[in-house]
Amino acid sequence: MPQKSLTIALAGNPNSGKTTIFNNITGTRQKVGNWPGVTVEKKEGIVSKYGYELKIIDLPGTYSLTPFSVEEIIARDFVLDECPDVVIDIIDASNLERSLYLATQLREIDCKVLFALNMADIASTRGIKIDAEKLSELLDLPIVFTIGNKNEGIDALLKKAVELAGSDIDTSGKRKVKYNKDIENSISELRSFIEKNSGISLPYKTRWTIIKLLENDEIVKERVFQKAGDQGRNIIQEVQLHRELLADRFNDDPEIVMTDERYGFIAGIIKEVLTTITKQRIDISRNIDLVLTNRFIGFPIFIFFIWAMFQLTFSLGAYPMEWLDTSVNWFSMSLDGLLPDSLLKDLVINGVIAGVGSVIVFLPNILILFFCIALFEDTGYMSRAAFLMDRIMHLIGLHGKSFIPMLMGFGCSVPAIMATRTLESEKDRILTILITPFMSCSAKLPIYIVLAGIFFSAEAGTVIFCIYFAGIILAIVTGRLFRSTLLRGADAPFVMELPPYRVPMVKSLIIHMWDRSKMFLKKMGGVILIGSVVIWTLSAFPRNIQYSHDYVAETNSVIALYNTEITTANGLDRQHIEKKRDAAIAELEMARKSEKMEKSYMGRIGKILAPVFAPLGIDWRGSVALLTGFVAKEIVVSTMGILYLAGDKGSDTLKNALLSSDMTPLSALAMMVFVLLYLPCLATVATIKQETGSFKWTLFSITYSTSLAWVAAFCVFQGGKIIGL
Amino acid sequence: MLLSEMKEGQTGVIDRVGGNGALRRRILEMGVLKGSEIYIEKYAPLKDPLEMIVKGYHLSLRVEEAAQITVDDVK
Ligand SMILES: Nc1nc2c(ncn2[C@@H]2O[C@H](COP(=O)(O)OP(=O)(O)OP(=O)(O)O)[C@@H](O)[C@H]2O)c(=O)[nH]1
Ligand SMILES: [Mg+2]
């Protein structure tokens, strides 16, 4: 017998612990963080329990059912349009009064609601006591206390939710906010107007629709038009009359009056259920903020944190990277000894290992970087960063909250671009999406480490830091530029909750790292592996090439020449000549290899690209590497590994190969600048398309970033040459 | 007096939230409405935005927006 299924939605204010509870129920590992706006899309999970198949939906947080930003609209639309069987309102118990605002609205839409009073631990340490029985009685709904991060009360909550879904109570009679006489009058007059015109069908329940229309809710208005057609116009006209009437009566917009009324209703409830033991306590979170957002040292500390993040990533990450590098080399050498010479061996060693191996060594660095970002997110420092930076962001016409996606961009652009959903203004969102790719993501890190490490060995750290810094500066310049041209508009307001600091959960940090590693390894096993094989194939074929010299004959004649010398020479001289001979052979071999490379398919592609990149000091191999970077930025290093290594057999490491190529420190720098700015990877482009919903903006972003990259790299290379670097 | 004129550590009671549109609505919905007690926790290092405590939680607001809000009983 198929199980009956129930849909249970988790709604609530931002940062109230919805995702924590969702993870507890479904056993998944969705992202949790201590700042408002972590979840920006709805997530689904299915569990079988109590004889039902339960479909649990985690929604983005929202302060009210009035749509304000994209992610809030997602939450509201789900609750309204999908009509879940039960809505669990996850309430931050230490923040009851404000949380009840959403709760009263949920009640108004006549769905089955139950409360989870989450963060019960924090409420009690703050001396807040909630009379749950009374609250439950007053609002006539079940209430369960929970502590999300300790998995307490979750089972009871789920059980209650299933019970509620199974019961056939009539929600429409339940206690709701009663507005003042004038508003209630308007509501009932409108109701009879609608009932009189029996042809009218409304998209939602009557009372709620009327309330929303009185509040001038654009989306509901539109839906009424869709559903009721011409009749809709009549209703809206009627509503407009009432709105004017009420506005006259209260000297303010009806929606404002109604907000007041709801809070009035809530105040009444709070008075009855909430007691605070007013013992003066030390509020640790406030004390931390005395330091971290301090007028004088707040900024220096902030800069220190960012600096420390990169410092840790590079210096601490260097050790495990070294070990991995050694293991990869060892592995490659042992295979070289074990396998008989064949095309397959060439593929494995010069394709797969050279490609994947050159990137995989960066796993530790990437993990450390993500660990640091996770620390920012889980402690609650993220919103402080937005608080500190708002003024500066304001100067470029952006929002403090835009800084959160930017900071996340150091990890990966994809979630960073998604995080822009919390921005209220469409223009802010697009602007932030356009500049976020300039925040150099972790996949570009290997490229910098390779290039800076080789060409600027001692100052590598500084060079990389400067590259990152250049990214930030160009993001700001771009922001300012577009703000005053393409995306002109009023600045969006900055209204943001600052959650209390919390000790990050070690478990969640570890899980986060683990998931990251899995993602990274998957990428290695997938796109990077395939990419490496493709690149190797393109560079190994065609097999029979028309060489410009007859290398075999030349080699033979060299050998013959030296051999006659050797027979006549004696002792020390002989050894000397033998060495010379071997060097000459190696040189010929190298010339042959590089000619072969140039005449391979890859070489031909590279030759087409080369003129574009020549002014930047990047040779054809670099050009090809950059081209492949569109798939995923890590591939740039893989490609370089394959192309440069195969070009010369004499050196066993990419380092030696690069040093003996035409690349100079200056052209390496130009290449890094290009990598920093040029078109983002495929996944990011797809995300940009999804989030802007516009092909034009996506194309614009790609064109802009790539042109900027070329110009900047050109300036670096040519400028550097002029000043004689 | 205006909310934006209050100093760190002062308390007050909201009298009227001015401005218009979605923002005004949002500020009200977050509990900053007539009669709410507020406490100015601090101004950011660059004097903008400000952080205040309202209904038991910390909310930050730009000075520009705070200038639309009038307060009484400032102590
Ligand atoms: N002390 C305490 N912390 C909790 C509790 N539940 C969740 N948290 C923490 O609260 C923070 C927010 O949790 P999330 O689950 O991300 O909140 P959310 O409601 O999904 O937030 P958004 O997705 O931003 O709307 C995290 O740091 C959690 O570890 C709880 O019961 N007690
Ligand atoms: Mg969440």
Side-chain angles (χ1 to χ4, degrees):
Chain A
M1 192 187 90
Q3 281 179 316
K4 275 218 302 214
S5 85
L6 287 178
T7 313
I8 300 176
L10 305 180
N13 284 176
N15 211 37
S16 60
K18 297 175 293 301
T19 307
T20 312
I21 290 182
F22 175 81
N23 287 346
N24 284 334
I25 296 177
T26 60
T28 46
R29 301 204 287 250
Q30 293 300 334
K31 187 165 165 190
V32 166
N34 187 22
W35 49 282
V38 177
T39 310
V40 291
E41 3 169 52
K42 60 172 201 274
K43 291 277 160 68
E44 251 182 59
I46 292 180
V47 278
S48 283
K49 241 184 176 168
Y50 310 116
Y52 289 96
E53 185 189 79
L54 303 175
K55 195 156 120 193
I56 316 283
I57 318 282
D58 181 25
L59 294 172
T62 172
Y63 290 108
S64 86
L65 290 181
T66 315
F68 200 52
S69 50
V70 182
E71 101 276 21
E72 290 192 334
I73 294 174
I74 295 173
R76 160 174 142 149
D77 281 354
F78 183 82
V79 174
L80 283 180
D81 300 337
E82 316 277 317
C83 301
D85 294 299
V86 179
V87 176
I88 302 182
D89 184 3
I90 314 268
I91 287 178
D92 174 356
S94 63
N95 219 333
L96 186 64
E97 191 168 356
R98 196 201 60 213
S99 308
L100 284 179
Y101 187 80
L102 177 70
T104 56
Q105 288 192 313
L106 285 173
R107 169 101 298 169
E108 271 179 342
I109 56 175
D110 282 342
C111 55
K112 290 178 179 171
V113 187
L114 104 141
F115 283 1
L117 291 183
N118 195 32
M119 313 233 177
D121 53 336
I122 298 189
S124 71
T125 51
R126 287 219 199 133
I128 297 169
K129 251 188 78 132
I130 298 171
D131 185 345
E133 238 166 80
K134 191 78 188 243
L135 182 60
S136 158
E137 191 189 304
L138 284 176
L139 289 171
D140 198 6
L141 43 70
I143 290 177
V144 181
F145 279 103
T146 56
I147 303 178
N149 54 357
K150 298 204 188 96
N151 203 1
E152 279 174 32
I154 309 294
D155 279 333
L157 177 70
L158 205 55
K159 203 161 171 187
K160 276 263 165 62
V162 172
E163 261 169 37
L164 183 65
S167 68
D168 46 354
I169 44 159
D170 177 21
T171 47
S172 61
K174 296 239 174 171
R175 184 169 170 196
K176 305 192 177 76
V177 182
K178 217 164 136 33
Y179 298 96
N180 62 42
K181 218 171 76 242
D182 301 80
I183 294 178
E184 287 294 342
N185 264 344
S186 289
I187 295 177
S188 56
E189 270 171 41
L190 284 166
R191 184 191 284 273
S192 50
F193 176 84
I194 289 168
E195 277 160 7
K196 244 187 2 241
N197 297 277
S198 54
I200 302 178
S201 59
L202 294 177
Y204 309 111
K205 296 246 167 75
T206 316
R207 182 182 163 91
W208 193 79
T209 315
I210 295 174
I211 289 174
K212 281 291 137 184
L213 289 176
L214 279 175
E215 287 186 324
N216 203 23
D217 184 309
E218 293 299 333
I219 296 179
V220 172
K221 252 174 143 170
E222 209 171 281
R223 300 256 160 93
V224 168
F225 268 129
Q226 275 168 15
K227 187 92 191 236
D230 277 348
Q231 294 275 30
R233 202 173 315 271
N234 295 339
I235 305 174
I236 308 266
Q237 253 169 25
E238 193 68 20
V239 168
Q240 200 49 40
L241 286 179
H242 280 276
R243 270 180 60 80
E244 276 158 28
L245 212 75
L246 290 170
D248 246 18
R249 169 76 181 74
F250 295 104
N251 211 357
D252 211 336
D253 293 336
E255 60 266 32
I256 304 295
V257 179
M258 289 161 94
T259 305
D260 255 348
E261 298 260 311
R262 287 196 195 107
Y263 263 111
F265 173 80
I266 292 166
I269 295 174
I270 291 288
K271 210 175 272 163
E272 289 192 57
V273 302
L274 191 97
T275 41
T276 315
I277 310 160
T278 43
K279 207 166 53 181
Q280 205 56 50
R281 289 166 192 282
I282 308 163
D283 188 336
I284 299 171
S285 188
R286 279 172 80 179
N287 284 334
I288 295 175
D289 255 347
L290 281 183
V291 181
L292 293 188
T293 57
N294 179 282
R295 172 166 310 163
F296 304 106
I297 56 172
F299 260 108
I301 291 179
F302 173 65
I303 292 165
F304 170 77
F305 280 159
I306 302 278
W307 175 83
M309 172 168 93
F310 287 116
Q311 202 54 38
L312 274 179
T313 304
F314 300 124
S315 49
L316 192 66
Y319 299 100
M321 186 181 115
E322 193 81 39
W323 306 329
L324 276 178
D325 203 26
T326 320
S327 332
V328 169
N329 277 340
W330 176 83
F331 186 63
S332 168
M333 295 222 301
S334 352
L335 271 186
D336 197 19
L338 278 175
L339 296 176
D341 273 336
S342 69
L343 199 59
L344 184 71
K345 173 178 169 176
D346 196 26
L347 169 68
V348 170
I349 291 177
N350 295 323
V352 176
I353 297 181
V356 177
S358 53
V359 186
I360 212 157
V361 298
F362 295 102
L363 178 63
N365 306 74
I366 288 170
L367 280 187
I368 294 173
L369 185 63
F370 273 102
F371 180 82
C372 294
I373 295 177
L375 269 186
F376 283 156
E377 294 191 54
D378 285 5
T379 51
Y381 191 69
M382 207 57 146
S383 359
R384 270 71 185 186
F387 178 71
L388 288 172
M389 285 299 289
D390 182 61
R391 190 66 228 276
I392 294 173
M393 299 297 286
H394 199 38
L395 288 178
I396 64 164
L398 267 175
H399 200 277
K401 271 195 243 173
S402 294
F403 194 70
I404 294 177
M406 287 170 71
L407 202 56
M408 287 169 75
F410 287 134
C412 174
S413 301
V414 173
I417 288 172
M418 307 249 321
T420 60
R421 287 189 188 183
T422 55
L423 299 171
E424 296 90 18
S425 136
E426 183 68 20
K427 284 184 177 162
D428 279 9
R429 285 195 62 210
I430 294 189
L431 194 51
T432 311
I433 289 173
L434 288 178
I435 64 176
T436 300
F438 293 153
M439 312 307 284
S440 196
C441 77
S442 63
K444 294 177 183 170
L445 193 59
I447 311 174
Y448 304 145
I449 297 182
V450 164
L451 290 177
I454 291 172
F455 291 99
F456 300 92
S457 48
E459 297 92 42
T462 321
V463 169
I464 296 175
F465 190 79
C466 289
I467 291 283
Y468 273 94
F469 198 71
I472 299 173
I473 297 289
L474 283 167
I476 289 174
V477 171
T478 301
R480 185 68 259 184
L481 179 72
F482 289 166
R483 194 47 153 187
S484 47
T485 51
L486 292 174
L487 291 160
R488 215 175 309 189
D491 277 358
F494 180 75
V495 187
M496 190 184 65
E497 185 183 353
L498 295 168
Y501 286 103
R502 278 191 244 281
V503 181
M505 287 193 291
V506 179
K507 194 178 129 210
S508 117
L509 285 176
I510 290 175
I511 286 175
H512 193 76
M513 293 301 98
W514 174 244
D515 283 346
R516 263 292 145 193
S517 318
K518 272 207 311 211
M519 258 170 82
F520 183 80
L521 293 177
K522 246 200 199 138
K523 211 168 172 184
M524 292 304 121
V527 74
I528 308 287
L529 178 68
I530 296 170
S532 302
V533 171
V534 170
I535 291 157
W536 174 85
T537 312
L538 286 177
S539 58
F541 288 93
R543 292 306 271 184
N544 26 13
I545 291 171
Q546 285 288 317
Y547 288 109
S548 57
H549 306 256
D550 187 349
Y551 287 103
V552 183
E554 277 181 35
T555 313
N556 286 339
S557 69
V558 164
I559 292 173
L561 188 78
Y562 281 103
N563 278 359
T564 46
E565 267 188 56
I566 287 170
T567 43
T568 54
N570 52 6
L572 266 173
D573 265 357
R574 174 176 289 193
Q575 267 176 20
H576 195 66
I577 296 169
E578 268 172 7
K579 246 191 211 138
K580 254 167 115 184
R581 179 195 64 186
D582 291 346
I585 294 174
E587 201 166 297
L588 275 172
E589 174 67 7
M590 211 165 113
R592 187 186 71 83
K593 283 237 159 130
S594 72
E595 188 176 345
K596 178 173 170 227
M597 192 59 136
E598 274 169 42
K599 291 198 166 153
S600 70
Y601 293 123
M602 207 54 169
R604 293 178 208 174
I605 298 174
K607 283 278 140 62
I608 300 171
L609 290 174
V612 180
F613 289 98
L616 316 182
I618 300 170
D619 70 357
W620 71 268
R621 285 175 287 200
S623 319
V624 170
L626 290 171
L627 182 73
T628 55
F630 176 56
V631 180
K633 290 290 173 297
E634 292 95 338
I635 285 199
V636 174
V637 173
S638 306
T639 311
M640 288 185 358
I642 295 169
L643 294 186
Y644 284 98
L645 272 181
D648 96 1
K649 191 74 191 173
S651 46
D652 51 344
T653 60
L654 184 56
K655 180 174 174 166
N656 296 336
L658 277 175
L659 280 176
S660 63
S661 75
D662 298 334
M663 208 177 254
T664 61
L666 187 60
S667 61
L669 190 65
M671 185 156 174
M672 283 192 271
V673 169
F674 192 83
V675 165
L676 168 73
L677 302 170
Y678 86 126
L679 88 163
C681 70
L682 197 57
T684 306
V685 171
T687 314
I688 294 178
K689 170 73 185 42
Q690 177 194 317
E691 295 300 309
T692 56
S694 143
F695 194 68
K696 273 206 313 238
W697 279 122
T698 314
L699 207 62
F700 178 78
S701 168
I702 293 175
T703 326
Y704 175 75
S705 53
T706 310
S707 333
L708 183 65
W710 195 89
V711 172
F714 180 83
C715 294
V716 167
F717 186 65
Q718 300 298 343
K721 268 208 320 215
I722 288 169
I723 60 170
L725 283 175
Chain B
M1 134 185 237
L2 297 179
L3 179 61
S4 54
E5 293 163 354
M6 288 174 69
K7 300 213 165 46
E8 279 182 20
Q10 284 188 320
T11 57
V13 176
I14 301 287
D15 173 43
R16 195 190 141 76
V17 178
N20 47 37
L23 168 69
R24 175 167 180 230
R25 181 91 186 275
R26 176 43 49 106
I27 292 179
L28 290 164
E29 286 180 333
M30 306 265 302
V32 184
L33 69 178
K34 189 177 168 72
S36 301
E37 271 183 46
I38 53 146
Y39 172 84
I40 302 291
E41 175 82 1
K42 67 157 57 101
Y43 284 83
L46 299 174
K47 301 277 184 291
D48 194 11
L50 60 82
E51 176 183 351
M52 64 184 187
I53 302 180
V54 58
K55 299 209 185 294
Y57 76 99
H58 292 239
L59 181 70
S60 97
L61 213 61
R62 281 205 187 126
V63 171
E64 206 177 301
E65 287 131 33
Q68 311 251 29
I69 301 173
T70 50
V71 276
D72 288 335
D73 290 340
V74 175
K75 278 194 264 302

